[in-house]
Amino acid sequence: MESPKKLYAGHELEDESRTLIGTSQEGGDDCEEDGGPPAVFLCVHCKLPIGDSLARLGSEDETGTIWLKTTTNNVVVSNEKLVSTKLNECDCIYSLLSCGGCCCELGKIYTCTPKNLDYKRDVFCLNVMSVASYVLGSTPHKLLPDEDDEPITVESRMFVETDIQKIKSVLMTLEERLCALES
């Protein structure tokens, strides 16, 4: 029995190493399908945010890349167009992606591809070795008990009001002295 064909933007993916992860039918990310909360992708060197999982289209284990449909302004697209010489990417034209903070190379964006690689065209292909991620909500939250957190009672309110009156009288005295010095 033949396995079902995988499609991206109407194009068949050739082999099973190319997968689309966490995309809904509307084209956006569906965190429940992906099995986790949203994540922020960061430059591995300077930790500037470069994208998030809401823009994630998928990944390719074979090349160690993740695909994003959009990135932040911290990703700089080179003006120079390069032609790929890799065997499986012959005749692809791409631009390099770099971090706007530390200038390290993050990946590629393909502007021209043969028909079998159309799924990579105009998609930010980020090298997983250049990207770190932070999953929102992954930090354990621990509420620290407030040692001074006692309920306000009539007695404690009276102490507070007494202290306020003392402070007011000290301020009034200081104001009188200051006025005397100024005149």
Side-chain angles (χ1 to χ4, degrees), residues 15-27:
D15 61 313
E16 292 301 310
S17 67
R18 297 181 185 119
T19 57
L20 291 177
I21 300 173
T23 53
S24 67
Q25 290 181 350
E26 291 83 32

Side-chain angles (χ1 to χ4, degrees), residues 53-71:
S53 61
L54 299 177
R56 183 174 171 160
L57 292 173
S59 63
E60 190 172 44
D61 295 336
E62 179 182 297
T63 58
T65 57
I66 59 172
W67 306 326
L68 302 179
K69 58 185 167 188
T70 59
T71 60

